Amino acid sequence: ELDAAMSEATTLRLDEKARNEQTIKDAGEAQTAVAQALTVLKEFYAKAGEATAFVQQQPAAPEIFDAPYKGMQSENGGVIGMLEVIESDFARLEADTTAGEATAQKEYDNFMTDSQVDKEAKSKDIEHKTAKKQDEEQALTVKGRDLEGTQKELDAALAYFDKLKPSCVDAG
């Protein structure tokens, strides 16, 4: 029963470890990809502020377009802000998974150590009980032989008593 529990715990631990390692790897790769995307976008938006390719070139521009459109880089959030949040989420996922993996490994190690100690204690207990059982069986055999011998002596004494009884009773 204990061996089965230890085997099952090992199987579950190996599966969990594989999943955690894959999650950590994926999170690291995702952080790298998001960081590269952020770099590309920041460079693009830095150049977009200076770009004039899409500025309307009309002889008399309406009053609404008094300055060229330079994007919404200054707005809070936007694509860059969203990517920064995603990057921090991946970093947190990686950190949480790494910490969870360490905790799970420690719990597994403790379980295996406790189980091994328990198994050894039970093995010693079985050895002691087996030895005690053998001693008791041997003592029972000896006592049985003694009882047999004593019973034969009693039977012989009773037979002798029965033989002597008529001479003692008649004489008196």
Side-chain angles (χ1 to χ4, degrees), residues 42-52 55 68-71 73:
K42 285 179 181 178
E43 288 174 3
F44 173 77
Y45 282 132
K47 292 176 185 174
E50 302 164 4
T52 58
V55 175
Y69 180 71
K70 303 198 183 214
Q73 300 92 313

Side-chain angles (χ1 to χ4, degrees), residues 6 14 27 34 46 53 58 69 71 74 82 111 117 121 124 130 134 139:
M6 290 171 65
L14 291 175
V34 171
Q58 295 179 2
Y69 180 71
S74 63
M82 182 177 67
F111 172 74
V117 168
K124 289 289 183 189
T130 303
Q134 289 174 347

Side-chain angles (χ1 to χ4, degrees), residues 3-168:
D3 286 336
M6 290 171 65
S7 176
E8 182 180 348
T10 300
T11 302
L12 292 174
R13 180 68 199 113
L14 291 175
D15 291 345
E16 182 182 25
K17 183 175 184 174
R19 280 193 316 266
N20 285 342
E21 286 175 349
Q22 185 62 42
T23 301
I24 291 168
K25 180 180 173 242
D26 291 347
E29 291 172 357
Q31 284 182 72
T32 302
V34 171
Q36 291 171 348
L38 278 170
T39 302
V40 169
L41 284 175
K42 285 179 181 178
E43 288 174 3
F44 173 77
Y45 282 132
K47 292 176 185 174
E50 302 164 4
T52 58
F54 294 114
V55 175
Q56 294 181 3
Q57 301 292 330
Q58 295 179 2
E63 292 181 17
I64 298 174
F65 298 111
D66 55 353
Y69 180 71
K70 303 198 183 214
M72 297 175 52
Q73 300 92 313
S74 63
E75 295 290 321
N76 284 339
V79 174
I80 291 179
M82 182 177 67
L83 286 175
E84 287 171 344
V85 169
I86 291 171
E87 183 179 34
S88 70
D89 288 348
F90 281 125
R92 186 174 64 250
L93 173 66
E94 182 180 17
D96 290 349
T97 305
T98 302
E101 171 64 22
T103 301
Q105 184 65 42
K106 183 178 178 187
E107 288 173 0
Y108 170 76
D109 291 342
N110 288 340
F111 172 74
M112 292 304 282
T113 301
D114 292 346
S115 296
Q116 192 63 34
V117 168
D118 191 33
K119 183 178 175 182
E120 289 172 9
K122 287 180 180 180
S123 294
K124 289 289 183 189
D125 193 36
I126 288 172
E127 287 177 24
H128 291 302
K129 287 183 179 182
T130 303
K132 184 177 179 182
K133 178 183 172 194
Q134 289 174 347
D135 291 345
E136 295 294 329
E137 286 174 346
Q138 185 177 4
L140 179 63
T141 304
V142 169
K143 299 279 184 193
R145 286 187 199 140
D146 287 349
L147 177 63
E148 241 178 74
T150 305
Q151 187 65 43
K152 285 181 183 178
E153 289 176 12
L154 177 62
D155 290 343
L158 287 174
Y160 183 68
F161 174 72
D162 286 339
K163 193 168 143 182
L164 289 179
K165 187 176 178 185
S167 63
C168 291

